[in-house]
Amino acid sequence: MSRNHSIRSSLLKLPLFLLLFGIFSVSMMVPAVYGTAVRELEAARAFFYAGLLGMIVFTLVAVAHAGRMPRHGALGPLMSLLSAFVALPVMLALPFYEALPTTRFINVYFEMVSAITTTGATVFDDPERLDRTLHLWRAQVGWMGGLVMWIAASAILAPLHLGGFEVTAQAEPGRRESGSGGQRAHADPRERLIRVTRALLPIYFALTLLLWLLQLFGGETPLIAICHAMSIMATSGISPVGGIENANIGIPGEAVMFLFMLFALSRLTFSQDTVTATQGGLLTDPEFRIGLLVVSVVPLVLFARHWIGAYDVAEFENISQAAQALWGAVFTVMSFLTTTGFVSEHWATAQSWSGLSTSGLILMGLALVGGGVATTAGGVKLLRVFALYSNGVREMQRLVHPSSVSGAGAVGRRLQSNGAFIAWIFFMLFAMSLAAITLLLTLAGAGFEEAMIMSVSALSTTGPLMQHAAEAPIAVLELGVAAKIVLCGAMVLGRLETLAIIALLTPDLWRS
């Protein structure tokens, strides 16, 4: 018993990046076993050997690291997180490349960066080109990347007041967390990681398993069901059939997926382990309420446009078509707001009903807004939008009543006094990043419209935008090496956010 405790203690003293390396190496045995079961022996062999090699390297490095005292710096885990998104895809791409030797390594590296950052962009437009084992690996890497962000949000980003937590009252200078929250802020980062992992891993796994079983009961095949379940929970939008519109799951299957997408609107849907928690629970959470408002209003506007401006579209005589159009809009809006990027089977009907030949700007706008803080969703986050909205309402009140005193209430007091200013700074940094990535892509040979769509897709971690935001899908495979490298950097930047990258470059924080 004491020996097991000693081994576990030694493992926990290893650097976070090395632990992630070992975990992903062990996870390669899953596609190895699956490939053997479905008789895709070449792919199974590639994953088995790569996983075995990774475990050997992990063991050797772990033995060499034994006895060293870990450093509990504030930015150590954040640097490990950045290293995981940049360096781990090289290791993850090796078995993929061995199983698919007809492509270049840069394409496979792009695929793995896209998966681990939960972006879901793909260079393989034709799903038939990949074996079932490779489809499972793409979805699995995306699922594990989403789990990493679930855990990192509470254990790494929240104590550093990054990832959306910078606008909360607890991030205000001179403001200290009370009770257990204050103890959390000064706790050992490894203890936080262990505690959060133990709390969230069973929830994440159970929700994924439940969604998989519900899809199986609906008649879906096991592989497609598990890939879509993992993609919904990680908001990666990865599909082995090119999207759920090709899966023929119908409205009941999409409705089940819709319910599980709610977990990307607010952290409170599955945990209260961060400072975003409110006394009133989920019903008073501004992120959840704004998300539901967007999902309600945007589809209704698209639906009403049939009578307002779609004069060139023939009237539908069937009420069921109208219902399908409304549902297609509701599901797709929720999907892109949570940066999942799945398109409803009836989205084409919704477009025809509204009279919009292409709705790229709407989808891009939804992806830019993004989901909740400390979820797997990307974008600028609903909490920052709420901070700007609250500030705008307060300024309008002061125009009418200049001497009034703000009564922010319990919800408003969650934001620090200059929370809107910090949110606005983030918006400006996001806009500057968007402009810089677009400029680099145009210099790499992409057209302006394509460069803009790809930049929004990468920074908001909504890869399917490249397929649905333009009139014709963007062929990522045809891009040059420079453009793919820029997109890889943009996906990492979108996943960690600009403020986190700036924090890593701040000398004062390194000295502390």
Side-chain angles (χ1 to χ4, degrees):
M1 186 72 178
S2 59
R3 182 178 181 182
N4 293 334
H5 177 75
S6 176
I7 294 175
R8 184 167 59 250
S9 177
S10 299
L11 287 175
L12 294 177
K13 292 180 180 179
L14 296 176
L16 176 60
F17 174 78
L18 184 58
L19 289 175
L20 290 175
F21 182 90
I23 292 172
F24 276 92
S25 297
V26 173
S27 71
M28 289 183 183
M29 295 303 162
V30 175
V33 172
Y34 176 80
T36 304
V38 298
R39 308 307 296 173
E40 294 176 355
L41 299 182
E42 185 176 350
R45 191 180 304 112
F47 280 101
F48 176 77
Y49 288 149
L52 186 61
L53 177 62
M55 287 186 282
I56 293 175
V57 172
F58 170 79
T59 303
L60 293 177
V61 177
V63 171
H65 194 275
R68 296 186 180 182
M69 293 302 295
R71 296 181 180 180
H72 299 153
L75 293 180
L78 187 60
M79 178 59 75
S80 297
L81 200 59
L82 175 63
S83 302
F85 290 135
V86 175
L88 269 186
V90 176
M91 183 267 289
L92 303 178
L94 290 177
F96 200 115
Y97 182 66
E98 287 296 321
L100 189 69
T102 57
T103 188
R104 293 186 298 173
F105 186 80
I106 183 63
N107 294 332
V108 182
Y109 177 78
F110 177 92
E111 201 76 18
M112 291 297 97
V113 172
S114 175
I116 198 172
T117 58
T118 71
T119 302
T122 179
V123 298
F124 304 107
D125 298 331
D126 183 11
E128 298 293 332
R129 186 178 177 185
L130 302 180
D131 294 336
R132 288 170 290 179
T133 306
L134 298 182
H135 280 301
L136 176 63
W137 180 238
R138 291 175 61 235
Q140 180 182 326
V141 171
W143 182 80
M144 296 179 71
L147 176 61
V148 168
M149 287 309 301
W150 253 35
I151 295 172
S154 179
I156 299 176
L157 299 181
L160 294 175
H161 304 302
L162 297 171
F165 296 102
E166 69 278 355
V167 302
T168 59
Q170 284 81 357
E172 194 167 4
R175 184 80 170 265
R176 296 185 61 184
E177 298 178 81
S178 60
S180 60
Q183 297 172 0
R184 269 202 313 268
H186 301 283
D188 179 2
R190 297 174 189 275
E191 294 180 1
R192 285 198 302 268
L193 282 170
I194 296 170
R195 182 174 60 250
V196 174
T197 301
R198 287 176 177 174
L200 294 185
L201 179 58
I203 299 175
Y204 194 72
F205 182 81
L207 290 174
T208 306
L209 180 62
L210 177 59
L211 180 54
W212 178 51
L213 293 175
L214 290 175
Q215 291 184 79
L216 288 180
F217 293 152
E220 190 59 272
T221 61
L223 175 64
I224 298 176
I226 190 61
C227 288
H228 286 169
M230 290 190 289
S231 298
I232 290 291
M233 292 308 303
T235 66
S236 64
I238 296 174
S239 172
V241 291
I244 64 171
E245 67 272 20
N246 301 321
N248 299 318
I249 59 176
I251 293 181
E254 292 182 358
V256 172
M257 292 183 175
F258 180 92
L259 293 177
F260 281 81
M261 288 181 191
L262 293 173
F263 292 104
L265 290 183
S266 172
R267 182 81 171 187
L268 294 186
T269 53
F270 57 88
S271 175
Q272 294 190 359
D273 61 345
T274 64
V275 295
T276 57
T278 60
Q279 296 294 331
L282 188 63
L283 295 180
T284 61
D285 181 53
E287 289 185 304
F288 192 74
R289 294 167 66 178
I290 291 176
L292 292 183
L293 179 66
V294 172
V295 174
S296 302
V297 171
V298 175
L300 288 177
V301 171
L302 293 176
F303 186 75
R305 192 180 184 277
H306 177 71
W307 294 281
I308 298 174
Y311 50 84
D312 57 339
V313 179
E315 290 289 333
F316 286 122
E317 298 178 356
N318 196 332
I319 297 179
S320 65
Q321 288 181 310
Q324 291 174 358
L326 182 59
W327 169 253
V330 170
F331 179 88
T332 305
V333 167
M334 169 65 91
S335 179
F336 278 87
L337 180 65
T338 57
T339 69
T340 304
F342 280 144
V343 167
S344 171
E345 179 183 349
H346 303 290
W347 175 239
T349 305
Q351 288 180 292
S352 299
W353 179 268
S354 64
L356 294 174
S357 58
T358 177
S359 51
L361 285 177
I362 296 176
L363 299 181
M364 290 168 63
L366 292 169
L368 283 175
V369 172
V373 167
T375 65
T376 56
V380 299
K381 302 295 191 300
L382 291 169
L383 188 61
R384 295 188 179 103
V385 174
F386 172 70
L388 292 176
Y389 164 78
S390 300
N391 183 73
V393 171
R394 175 57 187 154
E395 291 300 321
M396 288 189 290
Q397 290 176 347
R398 293 179 62 183
L399 289 175
V400 181
H401 305 287
S403 301
S404 63
V405 179
S406 174
V411 176
R413 283 195 294 269
R414 293 171 57 221
L415 303 177
Q416 63 167 302
S417 57
N418 60 341
F421 176 71
I422 297 176
W424 181 251
I425 290 177
F426 178 84
F427 269 88
M428 292 299 100
L429 291 173
F430 191 91
M432 292 171 61
S433 302
L434 180 61
I437 299 299
T438 303
L439 177 60
L440 290 175
L441 289 175
T442 54
L443 292 176
F448 176 76
E449 181 180 352
E450 291 183 349
M452 178 63 71
I453 293 175
M454 289 189 291
S455 299
V456 174
S457 176
L459 289 176
S460 65
T461 67
T462 316
L465 270 177
M466 300 184 190
Q467 304 298 317
H468 302 290
E471 294 185 5
I474 298 175
V476 183
L477 185 62
E478 299 177 1
L479 296 175
V481 175
K484 291 173 184 175
I485 293 176
V486 170
L487 282 177
C488 288
M491 288 187 286
V492 174
L493 178 62
R495 182 72 279 179
L496 278 183
E497 296 188 351
T498 312
L499 291 177
I501 303 299
I502 293 176
L504 288 172
L505 302 176
T506 305
D508 291 340
L509 289 178
W510 279 107
R511 296 191 192 100
S512 62

